[in-house]
Amino acid sequence: MLPPVPIDRETLGLTDADRDAAHADLFADFVAIVHRLRRDCPWDREQTHDSVKQLTIEEAFEVVQAIDDGDTQELKKELGDLFLHVLFHAHIAETNGTFTLRDVMEGEMQKLVRRHPHVFKGADGQPLAVSSTGEVLQNWEAIKRAEREASGADETPSALDGVPQALPALLRAERVQEKAALVGFDFPDARGAWAKVEEELAEVHEASGASGNPEHDADRLEAEIGDLLFAVTNYARMRGISPENALRRTVGTFSSRFSHVERGLAREGRTPEAATLDEMDALWDEAKALERRT
């Protein structure tokens, strides 16, 4: 176990303004409301970590949706819903006797202070000097590895530890690539990453039978498509583009244009099933033209 980090206000260098920003009285009322719901509402009282975990995931995605939409009012509401889930899970744990909300906050505060030695004072009374964001991230990962080693939870810690398997595949690919890069396992520049994309694209072409062989192995083709997606993800990361955000943007654009196609056909009393591809393509091009004018 790592020794505890002091989290008193003086050591952390917190000001009265920092503390005022916490809205302590309102926070206490919010926690009290959750306690009352768990005490007096039959539905809330019956819930478990497992029964509400999918709802927690949905709330997190709704926060992301509000950010993507640029809707600050909706973001405010969704952050409140997500905050409620944090308090709700903490209260479930407290009634189960496993941990308390205080444990959650103290544990997170300890972690934040320990992983930000460039912000908070060290043993010498001074923050650690850093020269770049990259150095901050390298220190962060090194501290996380030290934490895992000290906990004894993993006898053979990996640089890739800490990436949840439940993440969407594209986001998980980006995160494992980031972690590998922090220990030096990366292409020297984006040109090398792009060459890998071209290599994987050729292998998909070959595995699909498009290169002349009419037979193809579905399992191999799946593996090669996975390699291609992974390589594209890596290239995007090296160019400073989040592949998850890029694909979300493209899916949103596709959905908007396809809705235009559906509306155009509906005005004629028709459905996509009853239209030709050429007719739908014409409406698709119309949607693209409208985008350029807005």
Side-chain angles (χ1 to χ4, degrees), residues 257-270:
R257 291 175 184 172
F258 190 75
S259 293
H260 179 87
V261 171
E262 290 178 312
R263 289 193 300 271
L265 292 172
R267 285 193 294 270
E268 302 172 2
R270 305 169 65 202

Side-chain angles (χ1 to χ4, degrees), residues 32 47 49 197 247 252 260:
Q47 301 315 304
H49 292 305
V197 171
L247 186 57
H260 179 87

Side-chain angles (χ1 to χ4, degrees), residues 114-129:
R114 190 165 50 244
R115 294 185 186 178
H116 290 81
H118 54 288
V119 174
F120 301 103
K121 298 176 183 178
D124 61 355
Q126 297 296 324
L128 179 70

Side-chain angles (χ1 to χ4, degrees), residues 52-259:
V52 296
K53 66 183 180 184
Q54 185 60 39
L55 297 176
T56 306
I57 293 172
E58 289 177 15
E59 295 299 348
F61 277 108
E62 287 175 1
V63 167
V64 174
Q65 184 65 57
I67 294 171
D68 286 346
D69 292 343
D71 189 335
T72 55
Q73 291 302 308
E74 190 67 13
L75 177 59
K76 176 182 67 175
K77 181 178 83 67
E78 297 302 345
L79 286 173
D81 290 344
L82 187 58
F83 193 9
L84 168 62
H85 274 257
V86 173
L87 299 180
F88 200 84
H89 280 286
H91 191 266
I92 290 172
E94 187 169 341
T95 55
N96 291 343
T98 51
F99 58 81
T100 68
L101 178 59
R102 184 182 186 89
D103 295 331
V104 172
M105 293 189 294
E106 286 186 341
E108 187 66 17
M109 290 169 67
Q110 290 266 338
K111 183 171 69 176
L112 288 173
V113 174
R114 190 165 50 244
R115 294 185 186 178
H116 290 81
H118 54 288
V119 174
F120 301 103
K121 298 176 183 178
D124 61 355
Q126 297 296 324
L128 179 70
V130 294
S131 58
S132 66
T133 299
E135 191 175 345
V136 169
L137 294 176
Q138 287 178 333
N139 289 340
W140 179 281
E141 291 299 330
I143 294 167
K144 285 178 67 175
R145 286 195 298 274
E147 290 171 351
R148 287 193 292 270
E149 291 170 359
S151 71
D154 190 347
E155 294 181 0
T156 55
S158 166
L160 305 184
D161 286 343
V163 180
Q165 293 189 10
L167 280 178
L170 194 64
L171 182 55
R172 187 178 177 213
E174 181 183 7
R175 291 293 293 122
V176 299
Q177 290 168 0
E178 288 173 347
K179 284 180 171 285
L182 286 171
V183 295
F185 192 75
D186 201 4
F187 288 102
D189 54 45
R191 286 178 298 179
W194 179 250
K196 187 65 174 175
V197 171
E198 293 181 320
E199 175 189 326
E200 297 298 349
L201 182 60
E203 292 183 5
V204 169
H205 189 259
E206 180 184 352
S208 69
S211 59
N213 180 5
E215 300 291 332
H216 77 269
D217 183 322
D219 185 67
R220 183 192 169 200
L221 180 58
E222 179 184 273
E224 296 297 352
I225 289 174
D227 289 347
L228 176 60
L229 292 170
F230 194 82
V232 170
T233 297
N234 203 33
Y235 176 73
R237 178 188 62 83
M238 294 197 73
R239 294 302 303 269
I241 301 295
S242 165
E244 181 77 15
N245 290 344
L247 186 57
R248 286 176 61 85
R249 178 178 180 176
T250 296
V251 172
T253 299
F254 178 91
S255 299
S256 176
R257 291 175 184 172
F258 190 75
S259 293

